[in-house]
């Protein structure tokens, strides 16, 4: 008799680390492993990763998580993949070797190309077809840059020798030993190349960016078996059955299955998504319209606001300034002062995302006086994360004409009670932290497990979602509005600063 399946393995490939988590049928963690990898900064505004290193760390933590959970291949119902989105990899189809470093979503090198596209009058077409703004954040111009700047790349691409993918595609390729060159609809919708209405690559947009269709992966549903594991270092024969970009996976993992439900993920960046149902909703506040997931031939859409630097600002305090020795230390340091002492930190270290979309913004610390200390800067950093998210929700509620009754939160920075209270104070609605905050990985697990029958339906997994703590607003709306207005003044000091990109 074959062993009874006990778990789903989620591969959570993030911007600064690779994680793997095995989840049981009750949605609880059975085994977890995590490993950081290098961040490469060749020039100001450029951010790269070694895709080979990403693969090795992800494979190794997957093996470690299975070992910690005591699971054999036959006991794993499915493997789900969730990933940092927009990060762009191009590799040789025969050797599987990348032809250059991956260009990370934070990278701003193609800002000038986006300006040129706007000046040529293409912005409205891209917005209508893709739901996105023309910004260096997305994969399309990154892919075009690789083709134009790596020797021989364009000719090789046109001959069909090269493959493009975001990180989900790269992992599926490596896991399946090259059998699967696929991406799901949620990741495809972040490329500037995908028509979110027809759910296919758009030939007109490909022509504008001069990208050969032969490079592109096959687009699949977010929930469904696409291949099995056939790689060295992991058990063979496990079904790869779920793929979703990290923020869409978190929306699913937070059980935001109905229109009007929203979540905010506090990771390297902050990403606020609201489920808008089976029709895409257009934004008048420069938010993104994106595919949330596709399952059983039904496609769900979402509105999204993206903050580029959130937890990464805390990492910068640790690694760049050295004012904390570990990320969790920021909580006690920030709590050691009653307020930020008039200090505002605008962490535009990779430009500004929604609602500004300003690639030339740069980080700024304003309001400094002789009495300012590292504690004030630590508190201002936490406040900056909350301020940026408050601006997103302000725009989203205006677009969707829905007043949220609560905001579900997840991600590493939600461990900070101080940050969560700041957020509730600014939003004026309860902030709800679930018992399982690894909802990005959990969403990938759910999508994979639903495809293989490990879980029955969305109602079953929604019943597994549990509250850990609710943070109630403790600031008047007038006071919150005043604080937000002060923040916006600080943002204006940081905007349109860099003239070299």
């Amino acid at each position: 008799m074959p062993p009874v399946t006990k778990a789903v393995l989620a591969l959570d490939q993030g911007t600064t680390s690779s994680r793997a988590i095995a989840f049981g049928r009750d949605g609880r963690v059975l085994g977890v492993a995590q490993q950081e990898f290098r961040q490469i900064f060749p020039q100001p505004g450029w951010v790269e990763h070694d895709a080979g290193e990403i693969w090795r760390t992800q494979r190794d933590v997957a093996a470690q998580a299975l070992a910690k959970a005591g699971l054999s291949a036959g006991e794993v119902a499915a493997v789900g993949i969730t990933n940092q989105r927009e990060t762009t990899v191009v590799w040789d189809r025969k050797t599987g070797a990348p032809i250059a470093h991956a260009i990370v979503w934070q990278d701003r090198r193609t800002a000038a190309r986006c300006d040129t596209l706007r000046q040529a009058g293409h912005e409205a077409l891209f917005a209508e077809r893709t739901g996105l703004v023309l910004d260096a954040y997305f994969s399309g111009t990154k892919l075009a840059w690789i083709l134009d700047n790596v020797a021989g790349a364009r000719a090789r691409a046109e001959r069909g020798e090269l493959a493009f993918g975001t990180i989900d595609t790269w992992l599926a390729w490596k896991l399946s030993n090259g059998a699967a060159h696929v991406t799901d609809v949620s990741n495809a919708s972040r490329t500037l190349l995908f028509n979110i209405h027809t759910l296919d690559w758009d030939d007109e947009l490909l022509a504008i960016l001069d990208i050969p269709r032969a490079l592109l992966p096959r687009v699949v549903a977010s929930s469904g078996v696409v291949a099995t594991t056939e790689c060295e270092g992991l058990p063979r024969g496990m079904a790869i059955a779920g793929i979703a970009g990290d923020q869409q996976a978190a929306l699913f993992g937070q059980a935001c299955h109905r229109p009007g439900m929203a979540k905010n993920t506090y990771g390297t960046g902050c990403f606020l998504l609201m489920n808008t149902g089976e029709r895409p909703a257009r934004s008048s506040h420069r938010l993104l319209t994106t595919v949330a997931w596709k399952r059983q031939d039904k496609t769900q859409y979402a509105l999204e606001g993206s903050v580029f630097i959130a937890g990464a600002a805390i990492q910068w305090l640790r690694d760049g300034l050295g004012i904390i020795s570990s990320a969790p230390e920021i909580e006690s340091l920030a709590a050691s002062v009653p307020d930020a002492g008039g200090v505002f930190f605008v962490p535009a270290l990779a430009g500004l995302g929604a609602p500004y979309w300003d690639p030339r913004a740069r980080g700024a610390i304003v309001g400094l006086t002789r009495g300012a200390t590292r504690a004030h800067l630590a508190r201002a950093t936490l406040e900056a994360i909350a301020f940026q998210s408050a601006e997103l929700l302000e725009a989203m509620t205006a677009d969707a004409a829905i007043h949220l009754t609560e905001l579900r939160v997840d991600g590493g920075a939600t461990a900070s009670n101080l940050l969560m209270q700041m957020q509730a104070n600014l939003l004026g609605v309860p902030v709800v932290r679930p018992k399982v905050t690894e909802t990005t990985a959990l969403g990938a697990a759910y999508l994979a497990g639903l495809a293989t029958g490990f879980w029955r339906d969305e109602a079953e997994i929604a019943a597994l979602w549990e509250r850990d703590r609710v943070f109630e607003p403790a600031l008047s709306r007038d006071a919150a509005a005043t604080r937000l207005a002060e923040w916006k003044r600080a943002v204006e000091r940081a905007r349109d600063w860099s003239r070299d990109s």
Side-chain angles (χ1 to χ4, degrees):
M1 289 288 290
V4 176
T5 55
K6 297 179 180 178
V8 173
L9 177 66
L11 307 184
D12 183 1
Q13 204 300 299
T15 308
T16 58
S17 69
S18 298
R19 286 187 299 171
I21 305 177
F23 292 98
R25 206 173 296 274
D26 60 358
R28 298 299 174 92
V29 173
L30 301 178
V32 60
Q34 180 170 350
Q35 188 175 335
E36 290 192 0
F37 55 86
R38 288 181 303 145
Q39 307 296 302
I40 303 165
F41 307 105
Q43 297 182 29
W46 291 30
V47 190
E48 296 179 351
H49 288 157
D50 179 339
E53 186 181 6
I54 285 178
W55 161 241
R56 290 188 295 273
T57 56
Q58 189 65 75
R59 177 198 60 199
D60 292 351
V61 295
Q64 292 162 22
L66 291 174
K68 287 180 180 180
L71 294 166
S72 66
E75 293 171 322
V76 177
V79 177
I81 298 170
T82 185
N83 55 287
Q84 52 163 319
R85 304 168 305 171
E86 300 95 16
T87 295
T88 300
V89 189
V90 178
W91 64 93
D92 185 300
R93 287 184 182 274
K94 284 187 178 178
T95 67
I99 66 168
H101 279 154
I103 302 180
V104 180
W105 58 271
Q106 297 165 317
D107 189 284
R108 310 309 298 166
R109 76 185 66 181
T110 62
R113 178 70 184 273
C114 293
D115 287 344
T116 300
L117 291 167
R118 270 191 296 273
Q119 290 159 9
H122 295 308
E123 187 165 28
L125 178 66
F126 276 92
E128 194 280 324
R129 300 275 178 89
T130 71
L132 308 177
V133 299
L134 273 174
D135 189 84
Y137 177 29
F138 304 107
S139 312
T141 56
K142 301 180 194 300
L143 174 55
W145 189 95
I146 291 173
L147 296 181
D148 291 335
N149 288 275
V150 175
R154 183 168 292 285
R156 294 183 66 199
E158 289 170 352
R159 292 195 299 267
E161 297 173 9
L162 302 180
F164 152 74
T166 43
I167 296 298
D168 58 306
T169 306
W170 171 242
L171 293 181
W173 175 282
K174 297 296 283 185
L175 286 165
S176 66
N177 196 26
H181 184 211
V182 297
T183 190
D184 91 298
V185 288
S186 72
N187 279 292
S189 75
R190 312 295 297 186
T191 61
L192 281 175
L193 309 174
F194 185 74
N195 188 315
I196 62 172
H197 309 284
T198 65
L199 300 182
D200 193 10
W201 303 116
D202 191 289
D203 288 324
E204 190 172 358
L205 302 183
L206 292 175
I208 291 170
L209 289 173
D210 197 15
I211 290 171
R213 197 176 178 113
L215 271 173
L216 305 179
R218 178 169 61 94
V219 182
V220 299
S222 310
S223 182
V225 178
V226 295
T228 58
T229 54
E230 299 294 338
C231 59
E232 295 295 328
L234 285 176
R236 295 179 182 240
M238 296 185 295
I240 304 166
I243 302 174
D246 52 9
Q247 303 315 318
Q248 291 97 326
L251 189 70
F252 198 83
Q254 284 277 34
C256 294
H257 302 148
R258 299 190 311 277
M261 299 183 75
K263 69 87 200 173
N264 198 20
T265 296
Y266 299 78
T268 300
C270 260
F271 301 90
L272 181 60
L273 272 73
M274 177 187 287
N275 186 328
T276 60
E278 294 182 36
R279 292 182 180 176
R282 290 293 298 271
S283 171
S284 58
H285 293 80
R286 307 202 78 201
L287 299 179
L288 307 177
T289 303
T290 198
V291 178
W293 55 77
K294 182 180 180 183
R295 195 176 84 79
Q296 295 181 331
D297 293 325
K298 286 189 176 181
T299 303
Q300 295 281 119
Y301 293 87
L303 277 174
E304 174 176 328
S306 310
V307 167
F308 294 156
I309 299 291
I314 299 172
Q315 195 176 39
W316 179 70
L317 294 188
R318 181 192 71 187
D319 301 338
L321 296 188
I323 69 169
I324 54 175
S325 57
S326 66
E329 187 184 325
I330 193 171
E331 176 90 349
S332 57
L333 182 60
S336 69
V337 289
D339 54 50
V343 175
F344 289 84
F345 174 28
V346 183
L349 308 181
L352 285 171
Y356 300 101
W357 296 107
D358 183 351
R360 293 183 174 80
R362 289 295 179 265
I365 302 169
V366 300
L368 291 172
T369 64
R370 183 65 181 83
T373 67
R374 67 189 189 104
H376 293 107
L377 180 55
R379 193 172 183 105
T381 301
L382 291 183
E383 288 185 343
I385 297 171
F387 280 131
Q388 290 178 102
S389 296
E391 283 198 278
L392 295 183
L393 193 63
E394 184 179 59
M396 194 167 287
T397 52
D399 274 336
I402 298 171
H403 180 71
L404 281 189
T405 56
E406 66 177 28
L407 179 68
R408 296 184 175 187
V409 298
D410 55 69
T414 60
S416 169
N417 292 334
L418 180 58
L419 172 58
M420 294 299 96
Q421 188 59 56
M422 289 174 174
Q423 193 69 85
N425 288 348
L426 286 172
L427 298 181
V429 299
V431 168
V432 184
R433 184 171 63 198
K435 285 190 175 178
V436 178
T437 58
E438 301 292 356
T439 53
T440 300
L442 189 57
Y446 283 154
L447 288 165
L450 285 167
T452 57
F454 189 71
W455 288 291
R456 185 176 60 255
D457 53 28
E458 291 178 3
E460 180 182 358
I461 59 178
L464 298 175
W465 187 87
E466 294 180 277
R467 284 176 165 81
D468 169 52
R469 180 168 171 181
V470 178
F471 296 85
E472 297 286 350
L475 189 67
S476 74
R477 302 317 303 138
D478 286 346
T482 298
R483 294 287 289 143
L484 197 57
E486 291 172 337
W487 159 257
K488 290 177 180 179
R489 282 183 60 217
V491 169
E492 289 307 312
R493 303 300 193 272
R495 294 198 61 190
D496 195 30
W497 183 264
S498 172
R499 302 301 171 119
D500 59 358
S501 61

